[in-house]
């Protein structure tokens, strides 16, 4: 009661209302901005997942086709073993370079995050 009387006497009641309204509007604006940012990230992630799925299918099917084709020349087991060996070599190289690859990906992600903040 005394607080209300003092605020009215000093004509601060409307100022408090305006500040409260401003803060509420800023909070609502931040919520909308966060929702937009999350929806952009999720949509890009979903598109990336779909693209990766199709590329995975492509690699799988082209590998099988190559293994069958090589199998005609050197035997079925040899064709599949040769293709599997190729993937093993790629996996070993990726394992040996894992720190450099992780560092490059981290740097790229930091650049993307900096661009989105601007």
């Amino acid at each position: 009661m005394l607080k209300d009387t003092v605020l009215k006497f000093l004509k601060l009641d409307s100022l408090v209302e305006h500040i409260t309204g401003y803060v509420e509007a800023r909070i609502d604006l931040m919520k909308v901005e966060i929702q937009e940012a999350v929806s952009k990230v999720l949509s890009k992630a979903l598109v990336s997942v779909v693209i990766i799925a199709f590329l995975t299918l492509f690699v799988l099917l082209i590998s099988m086709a190559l293994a069958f084709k090589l199998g005609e020349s050197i035997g079925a087991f040899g064709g599949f073993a040769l293709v599997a060996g190729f993937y093993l070599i790629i996996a070993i190289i990726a394992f040996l370079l894992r720190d450099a690859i992780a560092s490059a990906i981290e740097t790229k992600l930091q650049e993307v995050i900096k661009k989105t903040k601007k």
Side-chain angles (χ1 to χ4, degrees):
M1 179 95 149
L2 180 63
K3 179 182 172 184
D4 293 335
T5 308
V6 172
L7 287 176
K8 284 183 182 179
F9 178 73
L10 296 175
K11 296 185 181 181
L12 295 176
D13 57 338
S14 64
L15 179 63
V16 170
E17 289 176 16
H18 289 303
I19 291 174
T20 304
Y22 174 76
V23 170
E24 289 174 355
R26 289 293 295 170
I27 290 172
D28 290 339
L29 178 63
M30 287 177 61
K31 287 179 183 178
V32 169
E33 288 175 348
I34 290 171
Q35 287 174 345
E36 287 177 359
V38 168
S39 66
K40 284 181 184 179
V41 168
L42 288 178
S43 66
K44 287 182 180 182
L46 181 61
V47 169
S48 296
V49 166
V50 170
I51 290 171
I52 289 171
F54 281 115
L55 286 174
T56 301
L57 283 172
F58 171 76
V59 168
L60 177 70
L61 293 174
I62 202 73
S63 296
M64 289 178 64
L66 181 63
F68 278 118
K69 193 64 176 170
L70 288 171
E72 290 176 0
S73 303
I74 60 175
F77 179 77
F80 279 93
L82 197 60
V83 171
F86 172 73
Y87 285 118
L88 180 63
I89 291 170
I90 290 176
I92 290 171
I93 291 171
F95 178 76
L96 294 175
L97 298 175
R98 68 186 179 273
D99 293 333
I101 293 170
S103 176
I105 291 172
E106 182 181 343
T107 303
K108 187 67 173 174
L109 285 175
Q110 287 174 352
E111 289 175 9
V112 168
I113 289 170
K114 286 180 183 177
K115 285 182 182 179
T116 58
K117 285 185 178 180
K118 290 181 181 179

